[in-house]
Structures are given as C-alpha cells and as structure tokens.
Amino acid sequence: MAIEKIGIVGAGQMGSGIAHVAALAGHDVILQDVRKEALEKSLALIDRNLSRQVAKGAVAEAAKQSAIARISTATDMKTLADCDLVIESATENEAIKREILKALCPVLKADALIATNTSSISITRLAAITDRPGKFIGMHFMNPVPLMELVELIRGLATEEATYQTIHALALKLGKKPAAAEDFPAFIVNRILLPMINEAVYTLYEGVGNVESIDTAMRLGANHPMGPLELADFIGLDTCLAVMQVLYEGLADSKYRPCPLLVKYVEAGWLGRKTKRGFYDYSGEKPRPTR
Ligand code: NAD
C-alpha cells in the first residue's frame, strides 16, 4: 500500500518532529492536537528547526518552504478521514491513547494504517482497541526526530506482514534506519535506557552525587554525549516516569521501581525542558542544576 497522506495525533515535541521529517520527505501531513496552542507552538518549532537545517546547508530553502506548505493543522479528528496512515503521538498515558484510538477508527478509511509512537505501552493491547489490529504497528521514533536515525518497528501479535513492510519502507523513505523489536514493555532502547536514567535519579536521591557531578561522570566516564539527568529533562520527566511504571508493572520486577524523587518532580509539574524546569532550570541563558 502506498502511503501518501499522513495524519499525526499529538503535536508535542515528537509529533512536531515526525511532521517535520514526513513533510520534508514529500508527504502531505495533518497535525492534530486537542490544544490549539500546541499546534501553534509546533508550527513555530518546525519552522525554526527547518531554518536551522537550511543554515547548515542540509536542506534547501525551497525544500523548507514546500515542506511547510505540506503541513496543515487541526483540532478536529475528522480532518484525518483521508489519511493513508495516522501516527498516534499523544501523551504517554494509556487511557488517553485508548480514547484517541476509539475516536479515530470510525473516522478513517477502511484500509488506512495506524501506527503508535508509544515509548512503552503494549502494541498488542493498543491494537486490540481498534477495528484493525492487523493494520496497527508500533513506530517508535527517537528524540529529536529530525536528527536521530533510529526507528524501532514493533509488531503486535496481530500485525500483518504487509503492514510491517509498508511501514518499513516508509521509515527508509523518511531517511531512518528501522530496527525490529518484539512487543515487550518499553521495547529495546527504553528497556535499557530508562532504567539507567532512573538509577541516575536514585544516585541523586541518595546523595551519591549532585546533578552536575552525576552528568559529568556519565559524560566523561562513560563517554555519553549527554548526562542521564540532562537527557531525562530532554525526554520529559513525565514520559520517563510513565515508561518506568510500564516496565515495573509489565515485567513485575522490583528492579524497575520508579525513583520517588522522579515521582516528586512529576507531581510538582517539573517535567524538564518543556516546562523550563526539571533537574535543571532553563529560565536563564544557561541551564542551571537545581540540586
Ligand atoms: P508532549 O507532552 O510533548 O506532547 C504530547 C501532545 O499530545 C501534547 O501536545 C498534548 O496536547 C497532546 N494530546 C494529549 N491528549 C490528546 C488527545 N486526546 N488528542 C490529541 N492530542 C492530545 O509528549 P512527546 O514527548 O511528544 O511524546 C508523545 C509520544 O511520543 C508519547 O507516546 C511518548 O512516549 C513518545 N515518545 C517520546 C519520546 C521523547 O523523548 N519525549 C521519544 C520517543 C517516543
């Protein structure tokens, strides 16, 4: 099946990035979100990121302009009716994703595919809510989408081979390298990455180090491009917590227990970069450690 028009539900940091790469690859994109201000912010972000690519010589000005012209936005889900594929990239919360999928199915063409960008929730369980489990797949992009090459492709139990092949071909067309993962909690990257971030928060919680020493230690000692707390702020602390909860519940192993300090930050609404405060304070010119 040829994928031409792509719908994206959720215009947060990931939905914006997916819209950016899809439009640049020549697809018409409809970006849908319940919050109008999220859509406005998203368009401004896409424009800024494309301009950065133009300045670096990675993208031609004309290509930027046509990519922007291919993206439209909507708060009404009905606008997704003629999409060949909808990628769900809303908040990492199963109840929200269930509501979205229930509302989305009656709107779509019978042969439209649905992908979810969930970081951790079972693809098989989400597929079962839909009227088309065979046409449902996990398409897990990395953040920031325009820069990161990997896309994990996750088959649910019912995912048809044709769906997998179509999405595999699309991932290549978007300039990504697909890696197949089985449908187990958090798949491959987050199964390994998030327990490390959670352990970094425990290290902070127990006073083994402060924000700066933990991040410096992992940057210079493990040669990671970003420290784990810096990375947690970048991902979003709510998303980090949601993934740890899925691992904890899904694998029923106490080693995945979310650190109470991570829970506290999320309860305070200190979600990282997107709220300008997390393990660092982003209100000034340079990020300032908060502990
Ligand atoms: P975000 O908080 O930046 O954006 C989520 C967006 O979803 C918000 O704009 C919100 O208004 C919107 N939304 C909420 N309910 C909605 C609804 N009912 N209908 C339409 N839109 C709705 O989150 P994000 O970081 O972009 O994450 C989105 C998804 O991508 C999550 O499933 C997350 O696990 C996954 N993901 C995140 C990362 C990351 O590093 N942040 C990486 C890979 C995958």
Side-chain angles (χ1 to χ4, degrees), residues 167-221:
I167 298 300
H168 187 273
L170 174 69
L172 293 176
K173 189 174 169 219
L174 301 185
K176 303 299 173 197
K177 294 231 163 71
E182 292 302 319
D183 187 18
F184 280 89
F187 322 126
I188 297 173
V189 173
N190 286 335
R191 168 82 178 260
I192 299 170
L193 183 64
L194 268 297
M196 185 200 70
I197 288 176
N198 193 49
E199 200 60 31
V201 185
Y202 268 114
T203 312
L204 179 67
Y205 179 61
E206 290 168 11
V208 182
N210 60 24
V211 169
E212 202 161 14
S213 64
I214 292 166
D215 276 350
T216 303
M218 291 305 287
R219 265 199 320 269
L220 305 184

Side-chain angles (χ1 to χ4, degrees), residues 9-16 18 32-35 38-39 75 77 88-93 96-97 99-100 116-121 139-145 190 231 234-236 238-239 242-243 271 274:
V9 176
Q13 46 181 350
M14 294 303 290
S16 307
I18 300 167
Q32 189 270 346
D33 200 292
V34 281
R35 291 185 306 122
L39 293 167
T75 49
M77 202 172 259
E88 178 283 311
S89 188
T91 311
E92 185 74 350
N93 172 312
I96 291 177
K97 292 192 189 291
E99 285 308 311
I100 290 172
T116 173
N117 184 38
T118 179
S119 302
S120 60
I121 303 169
M139 189 175 195
H140 183 221
F141 290 87
M142 305 292 125
N143 188 16
V145 181
N190 286 335
L231 180 57
F234 187 69
I235 295 170
D238 51 341
T239 299
V243 175
L271 307 183
K274 62 185 169 188

Side-chain angles (χ1 to χ4, degrees), residues 246-264:
V246 167
L247 281 171
Y248 185 51
E249 283 153 26
L251 298 168
D253 188 331
S254 62
K255 76 176 175 183
Y256 297 111
R257 189 170 74 102
C259 178
L261 185 63
L262 179 61
V263 176
K264 223 184 249 182

Side-chain angles (χ1 to χ4, degrees), residues 132-165:
R132 61 194 80 200
K135 296 185 165 30
F136 191 93
I137 192 166
M139 189 175 195
H140 183 221
F141 290 87
M142 305 292 125
N143 188 16
V145 181
L147 299 182
M148 299 289 283
E149 263 194 295
L150 181 72
V151 177
E152 282 181 294
L153 298 184
I154 309 107
R155 290 182 175 91
L157 201 59
T159 307
E160 289 159 8
E161 186 57 23
T163 304
Y164 184 85
Q165 291 305 336

Side-chain angles (χ1 to χ4, degrees), residues 76-128:
D76 185 355
M77 202 172 259
K78 291 203 184 77
T79 49
L80 303 177
D82 60 346
C83 289
D84 304 306
L85 163 71
V86 171
I87 304 174
E88 178 283 311
S89 188
T91 311
E92 185 74 350
N93 172 312
E94 188 162 340
I96 291 177
K97 292 192 189 291
R98 280 176 173 272
E99 285 308 311
I100 290 172
L101 294 173
K102 267 195 262 162
L104 179 64
C105 287
V107 164
L108 292 182
K109 300 190 284 195
D111 60 350
L113 304 183
I114 306 176
T116 173
N117 184 38
T118 179
S119 302
S120 60
I121 303 169
S122 161
I123 304 303
T124 303
R125 201 161 64 231
L126 290 176

Side-chain angles (χ1 to χ4, degrees), residues 62-76:
K64 173 196 155 178
Q65 292 308 338
S66 32
I68 285 175
R70 280 187 205 106
I71 302 174
S72 56
T73 60
T75 49
D76 185 355

